[in-house]
Amino acid sequence: QSSRLLSADADGLVKCWAMQEHLVNRWHSELSSSVDGDPVVALSWLHNGVKLALHVEMSGSTNFGEKFSRVKFSPSLTLFGGKPMEGWLAVTASGLVAVALLKPGGGAAGGPAPLLTASESLCRLRGRVALADIAFTGGGNIVVAATDGSASSPVQFYKVVVSVVSEKCRIDTELLPSLFLRCTSDPLRRDKYPAVTHLKFLTRENSEQVLLCASNQSGSIVECWSLRKEGLPVNNIFQHRSPVVGEKQPTILKWRILTTTGDLERVSAVALPKLPISISNTDLKVATDTKFCPGLGLALSFQDGSIQILHRLSLHTMGVYYGPPSEEPPLLKRPRPGPGPGPGPGPHFKALQFSWTSLALAGVDNQGKLHMLRVSPSMGQVLDPSTALRHLLLLLEYCMVTGYDWWDVLLHVQPAAAAPLAERLHEEYTRQNQALQQVLAARVVAAKASLCRLSAAAAPRASDLHAKLLLMAVGATLKSLLRPHAPAAPDKSPGERLSEICAKNTDTDIDKVMLNLKTEEFVLDGPPLQSLQQLIQWLGDFVLHLLASLPQQHQQGATATTARPGSGFLRDGASLGLLREMLVMIRIWGLLKPGCLPVFTATSDTQDSLLLLFRLLTKLWLCARDDAPPQEPDDSLLDECCLLPSQLLVPQLDWLPAGRGVTVRLQAARLPLRLAFGRCPAPCAGGSSPPPDAQKVDHLRCVHMGVLPTEESKACTRCGCVTMLRSPNKTSAMKQWEQRWIKNFCICLNLSRIKPEICLNLA
């Protein structure tokens, strides 16, 4: 998830913005570079060398590595060891290319400047640049396309090489083959389209295909060009000599037109697909046969408010959008006699952008309004449910592998298909190797939780998945605190040995399980243990609530209509085993620091709460463990769980906060859905809305903040989790817990925003 943003203005000032305290609606200017008085016409980050290819042909494969292959691609600039160097490149209106590089470790107090900057002319004779675009090659070079805006002038291409020599940035440029628009050589259109209004490389990593749009006041034409290597003809004088062994025919690079459109309405904006779909003949054939369209279409918006989706290779129309209805009735006026200026253009898009999977299109119109459009994966073609589900599954898997957010995929999931899609995603995940499963574990659970929130019937399962995310995070944090007692590190860490011993030992007595452990590895200082008490308390309350609800869950059955929060854990042997391990750790830590133990309200002073919970949890775990056939809980276990509320006070858990994201609201709302910046929408289905006098909960730290919290807080834009912006606890153990959320921002791995303001969130 991106946390930096580049902006440029007409004065040549480029600013690098960063999220302030990792909040999506708070940004501050971190760095800046300037080319005084020279407007910037193109701006791009340097390439980091990471490129994937999505193979539609392999969509039926069970291996993610076959569906999404890594393409050999070099970064624009590398540091020692091949690490890519961060920075940006800008092209100005006077034909200047400016580069700013972020020095690793720079910017400290009293240290050197954090930026290395340099500028160089694109060519010896600098000229006006009205439009420009930037692309990258697999060899690490940069290609800049530039035009002065006149259709009769050539479109120039330049190779730019950035290097660092003696702690100074150096730029080398080289002129590449240029092209003239085809419409200028057509006798019927020679003077019809005098201006070039749009210049775009088809993809950021493909400098050999370019899209050009020439326009007049009322119309446009679009041309697609490709750079090809062609043989250079040899003069007849040299053809009669005897050929040299190994000699090849000389070749040159030449631009050839691929296709062109007919006369169109005036184009106001262009959006190119970001999904890196492979365009090999086999992949294109499979995509055509299965009607898989994401990544194959580019969007053109016109001044009449409509949008057309064109095929990126043939430029034939794949879909049309005719624009939203006007919110205000047209104002009727009596026409004035005599000549006068005609009416101006109506609402139309001035900027368009595809999402990462090309399933959504964002646009800003000439009235300053932000629009979000859903783009059908099949472009409106009728698909059978299994094929449609397989298309969405492939794009979800792409988001899992790349780390992109999957909000645009959720836009196309119907409530009835949410649970089956989550099941299919889990099946594909379990077929991957163990190393990849460990990397994707939290991301897959978060995706399944967001899918289940789309359906009211699957809301209890969404609660379980949300709780599982928190359980995984708490378990990983508590295990990471353990240290081996000997200086020589053993083959397995203390956390791994704890898991192995608890998996083998089926004893229901927690004290007997402790005898097999090296308790010296669990010795921690008092302050860290005390600071983690709220997380330990959540674990204890969760186990108690889970066991107390077992009789009711078993009686009703975990069906889609009767499932309650917690039912998903009754058959989850891995989660139940993790809870057993946590109770063992808590038991040992309680001997060292009794203040860190969870607090239970018992009806008897002699009741050993942890001993009781561990015994019942072990019996439940034995019925659901992974290495044995599943069994139903016996009557004795159900009877003991029935008596549990009379022995311990069962707390009320905040299973799932109220979601305020847009995706869940789309399921029951009339479209188009209208939102306003600064106005918080009402809570939607899928989460409970607490009463005004209810205690506010910090979902990340598992503490109560009171009815009217005075601390500044932030909220997740997807699941609605609320947490305090600044930590009230400064111990090292609590810092370690909170550092888990610096990059992921929330339990569900989504962005957070500051309250009470609201940003237009799309998840």
Side-chain angles (χ1 to χ4, degrees), residues 565-648:
S567 60
F569 285 90
L570 303 183
R571 297 295 181 187
D572 190 352
S575 297
L576 295 176
L578 180 58
L579 286 171
R580 286 184 76 239
E581 298 169 21
M582 295 298 102
L583 292 185
V584 173
M585 292 177 60
I586 294 171
R587 183 71 165 187
I588 298 175
W589 285 342
L591 300 177
L592 304 173
K593 183 71 175 180
C596 74
L597 288 173
V599 178
F600 299 104
T601 303
T603 56
S604 173
D605 295 338
T606 60
Q607 177 68 58
D608 192 335
S609 304
L610 274 183
L611 187 68
L612 174 63
L613 292 178
F614 185 84
R615 179 166 54 83
L616 298 179
L617 181 63
T618 301
K619 291 183 178 181
L620 179 60
W621 169 71
L622 291 174
C623 298
R625 57 188 303 185
D626 297 333
D627 56 352
Q631 303 174 10
E632 292 295 327
D634 55 18
D635 294 339
S636 62
L637 174 60
L638 296 176
D639 292 341
E640 289 186 88
C641 290
C642 285
L643 296 175
L644 196 57
S646 63
Q647 297 171 311
L648 299 174

Side-chain angles (χ1 to χ4, degrees), residues 167 197 320 499 605 754:
E167 294 294 325
T197 54
V320 181
S499 301
D605 295 338
I754 191 69

Side-chain angles (χ1 to χ4, degrees), residues 266 268 301-307 321-324 346-349:
R266 181 176 172 86
S268 59
S301 67
F302 303 95
Q303 282 197 345
D304 61 359
S306 65
I307 296 177
Y321 169 74
Y322 292 103
H348 61 276
F349 292 99

Side-chain angles (χ1 to χ4, degrees), residues 406-655:
W406 50 90
W407 64 266
D408 47 350
V409 181
L410 300 180
L411 296 176
H412 301 270
V413 180
Q414 298 299 321
L421 185 56
E423 287 295 334
R424 288 285 302 275
L425 179 62
H426 179 74
E427 292 174 5
E428 294 296 325
Y429 161 75
T430 55
R431 293 171 181 169
Q432 310 309 309
N433 58 65
Q434 290 296 325
L436 186 57
Q437 285 190 32
Q438 188 174 1
V439 172
L440 302 180
R443 204 175 299 165
V444 170
V445 175
K448 289 164 57 181
S450 58
L451 283 170
C452 291
R453 291 195 69 153
L454 300 178
S455 171
R461 189 179 176 195
S463 301
D464 292 346
L465 293 168
H466 191 272
K468 185 175 181 177
L469 283 170
L470 185 57
L471 173 61
M472 293 166 60
V474 173
T477 300
L478 296 186
K479 284 185 178 181
S480 65
L481 297 176
L482 305 180
R483 295 291 183 267
H485 68 285
D491 296 337
K492 296 181 180 180
S493 66
E496 292 173 340
R497 282 201 301 276
L498 172 65
S499 301
E500 183 179 354
I501 292 173
C502 289
K504 293 180 179 179
N505 195 324
T506 60
D507 203 311
T508 58
D509 190 340
I510 189 172
D511 294 326
K512 292 182 179 179
V513 177
M514 288 171 49
L515 297 177
N516 298 315
L517 294 171
K518 299 178 180 179
T519 54
E520 58 269 17
E521 295 178 340
F522 295 81
V523 175
L524 297 178
D525 296 333
L529 285 178
Q530 190 63 43
S531 64
L532 295 172
Q533 200 277 333
Q534 63 266 26
L535 300 181
I536 296 174
Q537 183 68 47
W538 179 86
L539 285 171
D541 292 344
F542 182 75
V543 172
L544 176 57
H545 193 285
L546 192 64
L547 294 172
S549 64
L550 176 61
Q552 189 177 13
Q553 299 279 9
H554 184 264
Q555 181 181 6
Q556 293 182 348
T559 61
T561 56
T562 61
R564 295 173 176 268
S567 60
F569 285 90
L570 303 183
R571 297 295 181 187
D572 190 352
S575 297
L576 295 176
L578 180 58
L579 286 171
R580 286 184 76 239
E581 298 169 21
M582 295 298 102
L583 292 185
V584 173
M585 292 177 60
I586 294 171
R587 183 71 165 187
I588 298 175
W589 285 342
L591 300 177
L592 304 173
K593 183 71 175 180
C596 74
L597 288 173
V599 178
F600 299 104
T601 303
T603 56
S604 173
D605 295 338
T606 60
Q607 177 68 58
D608 192 335
S609 304
L610 274 183
L611 187 68
L612 174 63
L613 292 178
F614 185 84
R615 179 166 54 83
L616 298 179
L617 181 63
T618 301
K619 291 183 178 181
L620 179 60
W621 169 71
L622 291 174
C623 298
R625 57 188 303 185
D626 297 333
D627 56 352
Q631 303 174 10
E632 292 295 327
D634 55 18
D635 294 339
S636 62
L637 174 60
L638 296 176
D639 292 341
E640 289 186 88
C641 290
C642 285
L643 296 175
L644 196 57
S646 63
Q647 297 171 311
L648 299 174
L649 180 64
V650 181
Q652 184 68 29
L653 291 183
D654 185 9
W655 282 94

Side-chain angles (χ1 to χ4, degrees), residues 80-412:
F80 178 77
K83 181 182 178 181
M85 191 171 188
E86 293 183 295
W88 60 82
L89 180 140
V91 180
T92 68
S94 67
L96 203 65
V97 55
V99 174
L101 304 176
L102 277 66
K103 296 173 64 176
L115 286 179
L116 289 177
T117 58
S119 59
E120 185 63 49
S121 175
L122 283 172
C123 59
R124 293 183 179 180
L125 298 177
R126 288 173 61 182
R128 175 177 177 268
V129 175
L131 297 171
D133 198 20
I134 302 168
F136 302 89
T137 68
N141 297 325
I142 305 167
V143 177
V144 174
T147 176
D148 61 3
S150 173
S152 59
S153 300
V155 179
Q156 302 281 2
F157 295 85
Y158 306 91
K159 182 175 77 172
V160 179
V161 180
V162 181
S163 58
V164 176
V165 180
S166 301
E167 294 294 325
K168 293 184 179 180
C169 181
R170 177 179 173 179
I171 303 174
D172 296 307
T173 61
E174 178 185 339
L175 184 63
L176 298 176
S178 58
L179 64 87
F180 283 90
L181 288 172
R182 170 62 65 86
C183 63
T184 59
S185 60
D186 187 350
L188 300 177
R189 295 191 176 112
R190 181 173 299 169
D191 300 321
K192 187 174 181 179
Y193 302 107
V196 180
T197 54
H198 297 90
L199 166 63
K200 297 279 188 181
F201 287 105
L202 276 184
T203 63
R204 187 170 178 252
E205 289 92 5
N206 186 0
S207 61
E208 299 178 353
Q209 287 186 338
V210 66
L211 192 78
L212 297 163
C213 177
S215 308
N216 55 27
Q217 291 295 327
S218 59
S220 298
I221 188 172
V222 176
E223 298 178 359
C224 184
W225 290 74
S226 176
L227 185 64
R228 298 179 179 177
K229 186 178 292 187
E230 298 183 356
L232 185 65
V234 182
N235 192 282
N236 294 333
I237 299 177
F238 302 101
Q239 289 182 353
H240 299 291
R241 69 183 180 88
S242 57
V244 180
V245 178
E247 184 181 19
K248 296 181 181 179
Q249 182 184 8
T251 59
I252 59 172
L253 294 175
K254 196 170 185 178
W255 286 99
R256 292 291 186 183
I257 190 166
L258 284 179
T259 183
T260 181
T261 65
D263 296 331
L264 306 170
E265 290 287 334
R266 181 176 172 86
V267 176
S268 59
V270 178
L272 298 174
K274 295 182 177 181
L275 188 69
I277 183 173
S278 172
I279 55 174
S280 65
N281 294 333
T282 308
D283 286 309
L284 287 177
K285 184 179 184 305
V286 174
T288 303
D289 294 342
T290 60
K291 302 176 183 178
F292 183 85
C293 299
L296 293 178
L298 58 91
L300 301 179
S301 67
F302 303 95
Q303 282 197 345
D304 61 359
S306 65
I307 296 177
Q308 286 190 21
I309 307 294
L310 307 181
H311 196 282
R312 58 185 286 185
L313 298 180
S314 63
L315 295 185
H316 72 261
T317 303
M318 303 173 66
V320 181
Y321 169 74
Y322 292 103
S326 178
E327 298 181 22
E328 300 177 359
L331 184 63
L332 300 179
K333 291 185 177 181
R334 185 187 302 274
R336 294 183 178 181
H348 61 276
F349 292 99
K350 300 294 289 183
L352 282 177
Q353 191 75 259
F354 270 110
S355 63
W356 286 110
T357 62
S358 300
L359 293 184
L361 194 62
V364 179
D365 62 17
N366 56 339
Q367 298 177 354
K369 296 179 180 178
L370 174 64
H371 300 258
M372 181 60 64
L373 311 175
R374 289 191 292 195
V375 182
S376 170
S378 62
M379 288 299 167
Q381 302 177 81
V382 179
L383 295 177
D384 60 274
S386 62
T387 303
L389 196 70
R390 188 166 65 249
H391 288 175
L392 295 177
L393 177 64
L394 178 63
L395 296 173
L396 266 179
E397 293 168 349
Y398 172 74
C399 293
M400 298 298 101
V401 172
T402 58
Y404 293 132
D405 198 282
W406 50 90
W407 64 266
D408 47 350
V409 181
L410 300 180
L411 296 176
H412 301 270

